[in-house]
Amino acid sequence: MYQEELKRVEKRIKNLVRKKKLAEKKVYLFGVSENTRQMIRILRKYQIEPAGVMDNDKAKQGSFCSHIKVLAPGQMELSENLAVLIYSAFWLEMESQLKSMQIRKEDVYLINQKRKSVARHVWSAEKGKWLYHRLIQKYGHVPVFLCPYTGTGDIYLIGTFWKQYIKKIQIEDYIFVVVNGACKKTAMLFDIKNIEVLSRERDSYDLLSYYTLCPELVNLKILNDSWPQIHTNPIEWFRGYKSLDFTEMFRRFVFDFPEKSRPEHPVLKDVDRELEQLFKEKGLEPGNTVVLAPYSNTLADLPDEFWKRLAGKLKKAGFTVFTNSSGSHEPPIKETKAVFFSLDIAPQFVEKAGFFIGVRSGLCDIISNAKAKKIILYDAQNRFFNGSAFEYFSLKKMGLCSDLLEIQFLNSHFMDYIEQIYNYIIERETEKSWKK
């Protein structure tokens, strides 16, 4: 969801709260998506904890979306005090399904994007033209590379191929355009130059509109595995097909590299002084701190109870345990404190901490090269196009990391994995002590 759209959605939810439409009601959301996760964050800002998230996809049922269990629509607890929020391109079908379940229309709230007319698309292209020429005026007539997404994992993967790519196409000057500060900090790990952050995420759509209507006037390349085919996006449907994982999709369809090309991690900068101060302020113990990363914007996560029990067990074993948190929408796991570290020092931070346990997210790509004990969790039932999330995003399979433990969890047995994680960490600590 673009920032501009996110503000509109938050305003819509704020109005529902102000008019007491959600007061003392069981609030459900229909459809698991990144948009739903963002809506949950907004609801929590107003102290509204959803009763559940519904989805018709059986593979998603039983999993967790922002730590809320995903239910089949038929599992929703029907009552007079009910409110269902929908943000989906399939809102018409969802609305019809809810109607067939005897849910009143006044209890269903559509939080959808506005449809655009042809005139609005042309106007968007005009704004894209202005943005493009502003970049050219600043840097000259050099290639513009656009990353039209908020995923830091995508930016990191681009960075691992960037030096090889610049050498291949034989250029020195360019403009590297990203949509937010987190993407910029990720790109900075690789010393990518001339990084421009768009003032609005929606600006990337305007640049794409201009590129689509006037490709011969724009020296622009879109660094994504499907955006070049804007009208139909056929390449994205190859994701996961015959072992085409995250790395392979970018290697083949973004950079057109031969199979022998492999991702290369950045050389980590010396930030010891900055880390020393941060560890001292937060009371972190170098080499004995476990960083929990329980939040993901894209893939399925685990419930709070799992993280709470895991944290408790690790603390009893003598570890310092903190939750990676970027704000109030990512509260620390109970019995742990929040810690925030900038993405451009994330690998060094995790390396100094010693341990990292997280659900698969873009942060996992960024810290994949850290010399630390890393455990990454994947929902075994989470599908991504033609493969599972694990098959597509496995750090080992992607060639980003080999010294880690990757676990595919089943939501029906998620508590069983605590012992496996604990034993892995204790075994590594025992090995370290023995070597000393």
Side-chain angles (χ1 to χ4, degrees), residues 210-319:
Y210 181 46
Y211 168 78
T212 304
L213 292 178
C214 309
E216 72 284 354
L217 301 177
V218 183
N219 186 6
L220 183 145
K221 178 173 175 60
I222 303 163
L223 297 174
N224 186 266
D225 56 358
S226 63
W227 277 107
Q229 292 75 33
I230 289 175
H231 296 297
T232 56
N233 284 347
I235 287 181
E236 69 177 351
W237 295 104
F238 283 94
R239 292 168 177 166
Y241 179 71
K242 290 190 175 181
S243 299
L244 283 173
D245 60 32
F246 198 17
T247 295
E248 279 294 287
M249 289 295 292
F250 272 75
R251 185 183 66 76
R252 295 188 187 200
F253 300 115
V254 176
F255 299 114
D256 191 26
F257 278 148
E259 191 172 347
K260 64 180 181 180
S261 298
R262 291 290 178 265
E264 299 173 355
H265 289 289
V267 176
L268 300 182
K269 300 178 179 66
D270 182 359
V271 292
D272 283 350
R273 185 176 296 180
E274 184 178 350
L275 290 179
E276 193 172 324
Q277 182 179 348
L278 181 56
F279 269 61
K280 186 176 180 180
E281 288 176 358
K282 295 292 184 179
L284 304 174
E285 187 180 351
N288 197 53
T289 294
V290 180
V291 180
L292 301 182
Y295 300 104
S296 171
N297 289 330
T298 306
L299 302 179
D301 49 37
L302 283 154
D304 288 339
E305 185 62 25
F306 167 85
W307 295 103
K308 180 183 175 182
R309 290 200 191 181
L310 176 60
K313 192 172 181 67
L314 292 170
K315 287 175 70 176
K316 283 183 180 179
F319 292 97

Side-chain angles (χ1 to χ4, degrees), residues 352-419:
K352 190 175 182 69
F355 301 90
F356 176 90
I357 305 171
V359 293
R360 185 64 170 93
S361 67
L363 177 61
C364 298
D365 300 81
I366 294 170
I367 62 91
S368 60
N369 195 38
K371 294 180 178 65
K373 306 304 178 290
K374 304 176 287 287
I375 301 172
I376 313 299
L377 301 159
Y378 305 76
D379 183 349
Q381 295 177 303
N382 198 177
R383 303 291 298 173
F384 193 83
F385 289 83
N386 291 293
S388 69
F390 175 75
E391 289 168 336
Y392 192 74
F393 290 111
S394 164
L395 293 176
K396 284 184 181 178
K397 193 169 183 292
M398 287 172 59
L400 291 183
C401 186
S402 58
D403 61 337
L404 82 167
L405 173 64
E406 294 185 297
I407 297 174
Q408 295 187 74
F409 63 85
L410 292 169
N411 285 288
S412 55
H413 298 87
F414 60 81
M415 301 304 287
D416 298 345
Y417 303 99
I418 292 177
E419 200 67 28

Side-chain angles (χ1 to χ4, degrees), residues 33-47:
S33 69
E34 183 178 347
N35 297 331
T36 300
R37 296 175 195 276
Q38 289 174 321
M39 287 169 62
I40 291 171
R41 290 178 185 176
I42 295 169
L43 288 167
R44 284 173 173 162
K45 284 174 63 175
Y46 297 101
Q47 290 73 53

